[in-house]
């Protein structure tokens, strides 16, 4: 090696050592700075044709970051934040519903109502017992009201959080756009971008908690960020803009506003539907699905409770025409929402179930089989807006025309359904479930509860205007007739004479409807499914709802904990991949200082040799 080569090597070594010393000193100084990654100098040395060092092509500052761990950690953030947000709200929902052993929960109030009716059965003439039933019914109705409103407040809370998080995402996208501009400027000026990349990583890390994003680095070093479904959030260093309008009023069963994204090119898309995880998605899901389902469960309880107390069965009267047997049913008392149920065996011997549902609005027809909760019936809607029973019967005749039955009007506007010996087919039962319009003389049923949305209104489970049961828990109230005269709990007949004040028939009927009568509950409320809807008593259904909310909260908490553990482990590994090891850096700094001194001595020696050569000449 010639003196010139040795001098070049020492000079380049000094340059490299000085830069690495500066970087190492910065590592040590920023060891406790959040998000700071260990830096090092990567030198690319240029050699001449004889293998001598002739220059340094670059001495770029590199970051120590494991991109594989970083990618896994960032991806886990959206799932963890999603799970955490869901768990937070389901826990609050569970607290609202209480537990089966909670003395203030819905199930406890149902038990109080049942106990009050039981006491009334034992002593129907007791004014105190009658008042106890009214008070228990009122407590139950008010609890349904307040629970529904509390869930509405949770929906509003989620909506408010969506406002703030939408703004946060906009700020993060803009910050990434700004930092990418600085990175490009630094590269043009041949300055280090390592610290800027650290800063950009922190923005991406925060953004990953809000949404499940796809991040790629383009050939020019700038980031491209897309939603889960590949829609543009940041491209060509231009950020899209998120917008969210607060939901002014939550209509029962209706979703709130969504988060929209407008790209720089003017394209608009729904961010929530294009994402699967992240806190933004969780908030929208909680607001529009989890909490709406909980309100639907309350509506189902309120609706079935009201129907159980009020509706009375109208039994078909057995009849025989020639060799054919069947039933005649009076359908004159049908109101919108009331039903007629028919069970028969067809010519193949298979049992068939048909349910007719009364409607006042013919535009709702035809009805789907999902119009009832039962999974084993065929549903037909009948228009009763004419108020003429004969027209009801005409529609039922048309609906059953393809069956093996003989269906007709008996001549008095009543529905007559007969089997056909020749088919052969037979009718098993024909009944109607009707809501009484008066407190007496229409059976043992009593409208203890009414719908107060438009004043005192009977609850018939009508399908008009989106369905009467949607939001009913918010407006269910005790019938004012009952608060005025609690003896209606006992007196159900006034003609030809009033029944005895010691007659427990009505109280027994109401108690049986509450605790023993089975019904099929709407699977859309989350208990059971369309193929196997939940069947049971009102009491057991309420317990199912309370247990469902408890299990949902428990499952969400367990899932959130699992995701949190995974993210924590990834965070530790990620931090270990980039964090500064002060001991190692201090040792390296000593090595650099020694190398610097060695290079300086080489330069000094070369300088002395040049002096000798010059003096010799």
């Amino acid at each position: 090696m010639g003196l010139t080569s040795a001098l070049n090597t020492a000079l380049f070594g000094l340059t490299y050592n000085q830069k690495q010393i500066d970087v190492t000193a910065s590592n040590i100084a920023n060891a406790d700075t959040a998000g700071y990654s260990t830096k090092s100098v990567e030198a690319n040395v240029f050699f001449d044709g004889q293998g001598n060092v002739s220059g340094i092509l670059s001495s770029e500052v590199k970051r120590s970051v494991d991109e594989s761990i970083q990618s896994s950690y960032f991806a886990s953030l959206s799932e963890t934040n999603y799970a955490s947000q869901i768990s937070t709200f389901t826990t609050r929902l569970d607290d609202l519903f209480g537990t089966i052993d909670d003395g203030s929960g819905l199930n406890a109030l149902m038990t109080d109502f049942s106990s009050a009716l039981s006491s009334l059965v034992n002593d129907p003439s007791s004014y105190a017992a009658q008042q106890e039933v009214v008070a228990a019914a009122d407590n139950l109705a008010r609890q349904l009201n307040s629970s529904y409103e509390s869930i509405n407040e949770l929906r509003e809370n989620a909506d408010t959080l969506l406002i703030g998080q939408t703004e946060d995402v906009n700020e993060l996208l803009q910050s990434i756009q700004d930092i990418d501009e600085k990175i490009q400027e630094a590269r043009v000026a041949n300055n280090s971008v390592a610290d800027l990349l650290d800063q950009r990583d922190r923005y991406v890390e925060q953004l990953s908690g809000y949404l499940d994003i796809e991040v790629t680095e383009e050939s020019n070093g700038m980031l491209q960020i897309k939603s889960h479904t590949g829609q543009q959030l940041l491209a060509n260093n231009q950020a899209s803009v998120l917008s969210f309008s607060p939901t002014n009023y939550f209509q029962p069963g209706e979703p709130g506003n969504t988060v929209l994204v407008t790209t720089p090119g003017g394209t608009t898309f729904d961010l929530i539907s294009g994402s699967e995880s992240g806190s933004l998605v969780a908030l929208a899901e909680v607001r529009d699905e989890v909490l709406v389902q909980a309100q639907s469960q309350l509506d189902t309880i309120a609706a079935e409770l009201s129907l159980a107390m009020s509706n009375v069965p109208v039994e078909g009267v057995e009849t025989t025409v020639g060799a054919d047997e069947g039933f005649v049913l009076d359908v004159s008392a049908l109101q919108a929402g009331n039903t007629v149920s028919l069970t028969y065996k067809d010519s193949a011997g298979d049992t068939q179930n048909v349910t007719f549902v009364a409607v006042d609005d013919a535009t709702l027809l035809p009805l789907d089989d999902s119009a009832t909760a039962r999974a084993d019936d065929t549903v037909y809607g009948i228009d009763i807006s004419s108020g003429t029973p004969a027209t009801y019967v005409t529609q039922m005749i048309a609906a059953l025309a393809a069956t093996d039955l003989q269906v007709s009007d008996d001549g008095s506007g009543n529905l007559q359904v007969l089997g056909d010996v020749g088919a052969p087919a037979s009718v098993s039962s024909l009944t109607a479930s009707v809501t009484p319009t008066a407190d007496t003389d229409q059976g043992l049923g009593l409208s203890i509860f009414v719908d107060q949305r438009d004043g005192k209104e009977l609850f018939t489970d009508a399908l008009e205007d989106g369905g009467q049961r949607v939001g009913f828990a918010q407006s269910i109230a005790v019938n004012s007739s009952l608060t005025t005269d609690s003896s209606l709990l006992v007196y159900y007949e006034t003609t030809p004479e009033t029944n005895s004040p010691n007659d427990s028939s009505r109280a027994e009927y109401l108690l049986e409807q509450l605790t023993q009568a089975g019904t099929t509950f709407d699977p859309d409320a989350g208990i059971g499914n369309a193929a196997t809807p939940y069947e049971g008593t009102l009491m057991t259904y309420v317990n199912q709802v309370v247990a469902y909310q408890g299990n949902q909260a428990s499952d969400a908490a367990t899932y959130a904990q699992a995701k949190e553990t995974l993210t924590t482990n990834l965070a530790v590994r990620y931090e270990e991949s980039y964090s500064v090891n002060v001991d190692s850096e201090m040792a390296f700094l000593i090595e650099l200082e020694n190398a610097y001194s060695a290079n300086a001595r080489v330069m000094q020696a070369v300088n002395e040799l040049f002096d000798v050569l010059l003096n010799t000449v």
Side-chain angles (χ1 to χ4, degrees):
M1 178 185 293
L3 291 178
T4 302
S5 178
L7 183 61
N8 284 339
T9 299
L11 179 60
F12 298 148
L14 281 174
T15 303
Y16 168 77
N17 288 147
Q18 183 58 60
K19 192 164 188 177
Q20 184 63 75
I21 287 172
D22 292 341
V23 169
T24 303
S26 177
N27 285 342
I28 295 170
N30 288 283
D32 295 327
T33 301
Y36 180 86
S37 63
T38 303
K39 311 295 191 304
S40 62
V41 179
E42 184 179 84
N44 294 317
V45 182
F46 177 72
F47 297 90
D48 61 19
Q50 281 136 13
N52 299 317
V53 175
S54 60
I56 296 179
L57 291 177
S58 67
S59 55
E60 185 178 358
V61 177
K62 291 287 188 179
R63 302 186 306 149
S64 175
V65 176
D66 188 319
E67 293 184 354
S68 175
I69 296 177
Q70 181 191 65
S71 177
S72 297
Y73 168 58
F74 285 0
S76 75
L77 287 172
S78 64
E79 294 183 358
T80 297
N81 285 14
Y82 171 89
S84 175
Q85 202 72 265
I86 295 289
S87 179
T88 297
F89 277 89
T90 53
T91 297
R92 294 168 67 181
L93 197 55
D94 182 38
D95 291 340
L96 190 152
F97 273 83
T99 65
I100 293 176
D101 297 326
D102 186 350
S104 61
L106 271 175
N107 54 327
L109 294 177
M110 286 288 287
T111 300
D112 291 345
F113 185 43
S114 172
S115 298
L117 284 172
S118 181
S119 296
L120 184 62
V121 168
N122 294 328
D123 191 3
S125 64
S126 168
Y127 177 76
Q130 296 169 12
Q131 288 296 305
E132 184 181 353
V133 171
V134 175
D138 187 58
N139 288 338
L140 187 52
R142 290 180 185 276
Q143 181 66 29
L144 288 166
N145 298 159
S146 64
S147 295
Y148 196 98
E149 286 299 327
S150 294
I151 295 174
N152 250 355
E153 291 174 5
L154 289 178
R155 295 189 73 190
E156 292 169 359
N157 183 209
D159 204 64
T160 300
L161 290 173
L162 277 170
I163 299 172
Q165 293 197 13
T166 299
E167 294 173 352
D168 291 343
V169 171
N170 273 330
E171 291 175 2
L172 287 169
L173 289 173
Q174 186 60 52
S175 294
I176 295 172
Q177 175 183 310
D178 294 342
I179 205 73
D180 265 352
E181 289 178 0
K182 293 179 181 178
I183 289 172
Q184 295 308 304
E185 292 171 358
R187 283 176 172 155
V188 170
N190 203 29
N191 295 327
S192 171
V193 298
D195 289 336
L196 292 173
L197 292 175
D198 281 349
Q199 190 175 348
R200 188 174 72 178
D201 281 351
R202 299 290 75 74
Y203 292 142
V204 174
E205 179 181 1
Q206 293 175 59
L207 184 62
S208 297
Y210 293 109
L211 296 164
D212 49 341
I213 55 176
E214 296 179 1
V215 183
T216 55
E217 187 170 330
E218 298 176 326
S219 58
N220 59 7
M222 292 189 293
L223 293 185
Q224 182 181 84
I225 302 177
K226 296 180 179 179
S227 69
H228 176 77
T229 53
Q231 293 166 308
Q232 178 182 328
L233 294 174
L234 178 70
N236 301 317
N237 207 34
Q238 288 185 301
S240 299
V241 178
L242 279 63
S243 60
F244 176 74
S245 299
T247 309
N248 294 325
Y249 177 74
F250 287 103
Q251 294 286 350
E254 294 296 320
N257 295 329
T258 191
V259 179
L260 297 176
V261 177
T262 303
T263 67
T267 302
T268 301
F269 64 89
D270 182 345
L271 181 63
I272 302 302
S273 64
S275 306
E276 289 189 348
S277 61
S279 58
L280 266 177
V281 179
L283 287 171
E285 183 176 317
V286 162
R287 183 195 64 182
D288 297 338
E289 296 178 28
V290 175
L291 297 176
V292 169
Q293 183 189 70
Q295 289 181 323
S296 178
Q297 291 172 357
L298 293 176
D299 287 339
T300 300
I301 292 171
E304 298 300 340
L305 176 64
S306 181
L307 293 174
M309 298 295 99
S310 62
N311 279 23
V312 294
V314 177
E315 302 289 345
V317 178
E318 292 185 8
T319 187
T320 301
V321 178
D324 300 319
E325 298 177 346
F327 297 89
V328 172
L329 180 68
D330 180 0
V331 295
S332 62
L334 289 177
Q335 300 180 66
N338 289 170
T339 60
V340 172
S341 299
L342 167 68
T343 300
Y344 69 96
K345 285 189 176 181
D346 60 21
S347 57
D350 296 325
T351 298
Q352 305 292 338
N353 298 299
V354 175
T355 303
F356 293 99
V357 180
V359 300
D360 266 331
D361 182 0
T363 62
L364 295 175
L365 303 179
L367 295 181
D368 188 81
D369 286 347
S370 61
T372 69
R374 293 180 61 175
D376 62 348
D377 64 341
T378 300
V379 178
Y380 297 101
I382 54 172
D383 178 11
I384 62 168
S385 59
S386 66
T388 306
T391 65
Y392 313 167
V393 174
T394 299
Q395 296 174 66
M396 295 181 192
I397 293 172
L400 298 173
T403 67
D404 300 318
L405 304 173
Q406 299 182 49
V407 188
S408 63
D409 187 322
D410 73 342
S412 301
N414 298 316
L415 175 65
Q416 179 174 276
V417 182
L418 303 173
D420 189 338
V421 175
S426 61
V427 183
S428 303
S429 65
L430 180 64
T431 61
S433 180
V434 175
T435 308
T437 55
D439 298 324
T440 58
D441 301 312
Q442 292 187 19
L444 294 174
L446 175 65
S447 293
I448 292 179
F449 302 98
V450 294
D451 188 346
Q452 61 179 359
R453 274 174 283 202
D454 297 313
K456 176 185 172 181
E457 184 177 276
L458 291 178
F459 182 83
T460 63
D461 208 13
L463 300 181
E464 282 72 16
D465 300 321
Q468 190 180 12
R469 77 165 52 198
V470 178
F472 180 47
Q474 189 178 24
S475 60
I476 186 174
V478 171
N479 192 336
S480 58
S481 297
L482 193 59
T483 57
T484 301
D485 182 8
S486 61
S487 68
L488 290 172
L489 289 164
V490 178
Y491 294 119
Y492 58 91
E493 285 185 354
T494 60
T495 56
E497 60 183 23
T498 303
N499 62 290
S500 167
N502 293 314
D503 186 348
S504 63
S505 298
R506 173 167 270 182
E508 289 176 1
Y509 175 80
L510 297 175
L511 180 61
E512 180 181 357
Q513 288 294 99
L514 184 67
T515 60
Q516 298 181 40
T519 189
T520 304
F521 293 87
D522 182 8
D524 289 341
I527 309 297
N529 54 60
T532 55
Y534 181 78
E535 297 181 13
T537 68
L538 265 167
M539 296 292 289
T540 59
Y541 182 77
V542 171
N543 287 339
Q544 284 289 322
V545 169
V546 173
Y548 176 89
Q549 293 299 335
N551 292 335
Q552 179 177 244
S554 177
D555 291 346
T558 300
Y559 182 71
Q561 182 59 51
K563 288 298 179 182
E564 180 65 31
T565 299
L566 174 63
T567 296
T568 299
N569 291 336
L570 286 171
V572 170
R573 292 177 58 195
Y574 174 49
E575 185 174 352
E576 288 174 347
S577 77
Y578 71 76
S579 61
V580 176
N581 186 318
V582 176
D583 291 340
S584 297
E585 293 297 309
M586 288 295 293
F588 188 39
L589 184 61
I590 293 173
E591 291 178 16
L592 291 171
E593 289 173 346
N594 291 337
Y596 187 90
S597 298
N599 282 310
R601 285 196 298 273
V602 169
M603 290 188 68
Q604 183 179 1
V606 170
N607 184 56
E608 290 173 354
L609 287 173
F610 270 119
D611 286 343
V612 171
L613 286 174
L614 289 173
N615 290 333
T616 300
V617 174

